[in-house]
Amino acid sequence: MTLQFSLAPSSPETVDTACVVVGVYEGGVLTSAAARIDGAAGGAIKQLVESGDVTGKGGSSAVLFAPAGVAARRVLVVGLGQQKAFDAARFQRVNGDAARALGRLPVDGAVSYLTEVDVPGRDAAWRVRTALLATDHAAYRYTATFKPREKSTQPELGRVAFAAGADAQAGLEQGLAIAEGVRFARELANLPPNICTPAYIARQAQDFAAAHADSVSCRVLDDVEMEQLGFGSLLAVGRGSANKPRLVALEYKGGAAGDKPYAFVGKGITFDTGGISLKPGAGMEEMKFDMGGAAGVLGGFVAAVKMGLKLNLVCVVPSAENMPDGDSYRPSDVLTSLSGLTIEVLNTDAEGRLILCDALTWTAQTFQPQAIVDAATLTGACVIALGKHATGLMSKHDDLAAELLAAGETTLDRAWRLPLWDDYQTQLESGFADVANIGGKSAGAITAGCFLSRFTEGQRWAHLDIAGTAWDEGRKGLATGRPVALLAQWLLDRVEH
Ligand code: BES
Ligand code: MN
Ligand code: ZN
C-alpha cells in the first residue's frame, strides 16, 4: 500500500486522527506539541516521564491511549535524544523511528508534529520533505516475490499528515516526487535477476515513458543495433548470458528546446558472477544489486519528471548480465570500445566500467549534455574506503563535485570525494591495448574512476561509486534507494539558482 501524505494544521490536541505523534527530548524535555497535549490531557505525558515510561532517548517510544482532553485516539510519544545534539541526521532518524512505531499500531492514519521541531540550519519545507521521505522509506515493504497474503483485518497505516504551514507546501510536493523515485529504484533493485533482466529494465523505462508521453520519450538499443554501432566493450560483457544486453535512453523535456540536457548514466549489471574471473560463492547473491546505479539514475529521473523540473534531462542505462559461458569474454581479450580506444581485459569481474565506457561515449555523442553524472556499484575498494555511509564521488571538475557534495549534505544522501589525479592513470597502462580494465591492488575505486575518465574527455562529468550505499547488507538487506535523493536535489539546485 502506498502511503498518502499531506500537511496538517498546528493543533495537536484538537486534530481528528487515529494517532498524533509528538517528540520528547532526553531528560523529559517536552517539545511544544508535546506540551500542548500534556496541558490538554492533565499532565499525562509528564506523568509518563516521571514513571520512566517516557525517557526521550533516541529510538524509544510510548503510546498514550485515549487520553482525556485530546481529540486523537492515541498519542505516540517519540524519543528525540539530547536536545543539544539534535540535528538534521537525528531528525531524519526519529521520523523513521516514528514511522516504524506507527506501523506496529492498529492505526489507519496519523498526524505528526515532529515537523515542528527546530532543526539547525533547515527550514520547514526541508523538515516536511525529509520527514516524508524518512516515513515512506521506513514504511516500504518488498512483496513482489512472496505468495500474495490475505488482506489483514487490522487497520494499516495509509495516511500521514505533517504539521506545517503553507511555506512547507513545496517541501511536501518535492518529497512526494522524490519518494516516488526512491520507491521506483528500490523496487527495481530488489527484484531477483531472473525477473530483472536487461530487457525487463528496458520495459520498465518504456512503461514510464508511455505513462508520461507529454514530456518523456524512451529509446532502447538491443544487441544487434549496438553491434552495428560499435559497442564492442559493452557487448563483450553480456556475451556469456542468455539475457542479452540493452541500452536504455530516457529523455525528459522540461526546459527550453535549445537547452543542453543534464545526463545520468547508471550501471545496470543485472547479475555479476564475475564471469570467467568468477567470484567466490559466499555472498554472490548480493550481486543482484549490481544494477543499483541503473535503479538510482532511473529513480532520479522519475523524481525529476514528477517534480516537473524546468530543465532537460537524459537517463542512459547500459544493462547486461556478467556470466561465465563458452562464449564469454575472457582475461587477455582486447576489446574495441565505441570510442575507438582498445581495452585489454585483465579481469572479467571489472565489467561495470566496460559497459559504462561505451554508454558514456554514446551519451556524450548523442546528447552533448551540459553535465554527466554516472552512478555505479563499481568497486569493492570503495566499500573498504568509505563503508556504507558515504558514496564515493570522483570528478575532475571542482564546481560539479561541489554541487554534488552539497546536494548530498542537503538530503543526507552524502558523498565524499576521492581524487582523480593523473598520477593514478599509469596504473591502467597495458602492453597490448590503449588501456587495461584494472589498475592493480591499490586505490581500486580511484583507478576505476580513472578508467571512466578516459572516455569522458571534454565532458563535464562526475562519477558516483555507490557500491557501499546502494543496499543494506545481510540476508534481508534491501535496496536503499540511494543516490536518488542526491541526484534529485542536484537537479533541483540547478533550476532554483
Ligand atoms: N560489482 C562489483 C563491485 C562490488 C563488489 C560492489 C562488492 C559491491 C560489493 C564489480 O563489478 C567488481 O567486481 N569489481 C571488482 C573490480 C576488480 C576486479 C578490479 C572488485 O571490486 O573486486
Ligand atoms: Mn564485477
Ligand atoms: Zn559489477
Side-chain angles (χ1 to χ4, degrees), residues 267 272 279 287 290 347 349 351 377-380 438 467 471:
K267 173 179 173 182
D272 181 12
K279 287 180 181 295
M287 284 300 121
D290 212 17
N347 190 318
D349 198 11
E351 84 299 337
T377 51
L378 204 59
T379 65
I438 57 172
W471 73 91

Side-chain angles (χ1 to χ4, degrees), residues 122-460:
R122 313 282 176 151
D123 61 13
W126 181 91
R127 296 197 301 266
V128 166
R129 190 179 68 179
T130 303
L132 188 162
L133 287 167
T135 303
D136 204 54
H137 203 280
Y140 171 80
R141 295 284 174 278
Y142 173 78
T143 59
T145 47
F146 288 93
K147 182 179 174 188
R149 289 217 190 149
E150 274 165 42
K151 251 188 111 47
S152 135
T153 52
Q154 288 256 357
E156 267 180 65
L157 190 65
R159 281 170 286 120
V160 179
F162 299 105
D167 56 332
Q169 183 63 30
L172 179 77
E173 284 162 19
Q174 291 165 5
L176 289 170
I178 298 170
E180 205 160 326
V182 169
R183 255 183 275 122
F184 186 99
R186 297 183 83 188
E187 196 63 14
L188 193 61
N190 284 329
L191 287 173
N194 58 326
I195 294 174
C196 184
T197 60
Y200 183 89
I201 292 176
R203 163 67 45 200
Q204 294 305 111
Q206 285 168 324
D207 288 352
F208 181 80
H212 302 81
D214 51 330
S215 62
V216 179
S217 59
C218 182
R219 205 172 139 189
V220 175
L221 304 185
D222 64 15
D223 53 332
V224 179
E225 289 164 282
M226 284 193 278
E227 184 81 55
Q228 288 160 356
L229 291 169
F231 283 72
S233 186
L234 190 162
L235 288 173
V237 173
R239 225 169 54 203
S241 174
N243 300 309
K244 290 301 164 202
R246 296 284 189 280
L247 185 88
V248 186
L250 282 164
E251 263 186 275
Y252 164 64
K253 290 207 160 36
D259 289 354
K260 286 185 171 182
Y262 294 91
F264 292 157
V265 176
K267 173 179 173 182
I269 294 291
T270 58
F271 194 70
D272 181 12
T273 65
I276 297 301
S277 312
L278 193 63
K279 287 180 181 295
M284 198 199 275
E285 70 283 355
E286 296 204 343
M287 284 300 121
K288 76 170 189 178
F289 292 118
D290 212 17
M291 36 61 72
V297 297
L298 288 168
F301 185 88
V302 166
V305 173
K306 292 287 175 184
M307 287 191 283
L309 294 184
K310 289 189 169 44
L311 48 73
N312 297 327
L313 176 67
V314 300
C315 180
V316 176
V317 170
S319 185
E321 186 175 38
N322 189 19
M323 295 288 263
D325 180 76
D327 199 32
S328 286
Y329 78 132
R330 47 184 104 58
S332 79
D333 278 0
V334 174
L335 315 175
T336 302
S337 69
L338 182 62
S339 75
L341 285 176
T342 59
I343 304 164
E344 184 186 17
V345 178
L346 293 178
N347 190 318
T348 63
D349 198 11
E351 84 299 337
R353 61 198 79 182
L354 296 176
I355 66 167
L356 286 168
C357 68
D358 279 354
L360 288 164
T361 301
W362 187 79
T363 300
Q365 286 177 356
T366 309
F367 301 109
Q368 287 95 41
Q370 54 175 302
I372 309 178
V373 179
D374 81 70
T377 51
L378 204 59
T379 65
C382 192
V383 191
I384 302 297
L386 297 173
K388 65 188 188 122
H389 302 291
T391 289
L393 165 66
M394 282 150 264
S395 180
K396 291 188 179 180
H397 298 264
D398 293 346
D399 54 347
L400 179 58
E403 290 170 11
L404 291 161
L405 290 173
E409 291 296 332
T410 300
T411 53
L412 302 168
D413 184 358
R414 295 194 292 181
W416 196 258
R417 194 173 177 189
L418 300 171
L420 267 195
W421 300 324
D422 286 341
D423 309 58
Y424 294 100
Q425 292 283 356
T426 54
Q427 288 179 239
L428 294 173
E429 283 171 9
S430 159
F432 301 91
D434 298 315
V435 63
N437 82 325
I438 57 172
K441 236 177 30 203
S442 66
I446 294 170
T447 53
C450 284
F451 180 90
L452 299 178
S453 79
R454 306 261 184 139
F455 300 85
T456 53
E457 273 178 21
Q459 297 296 313
R460 202 164 160 262

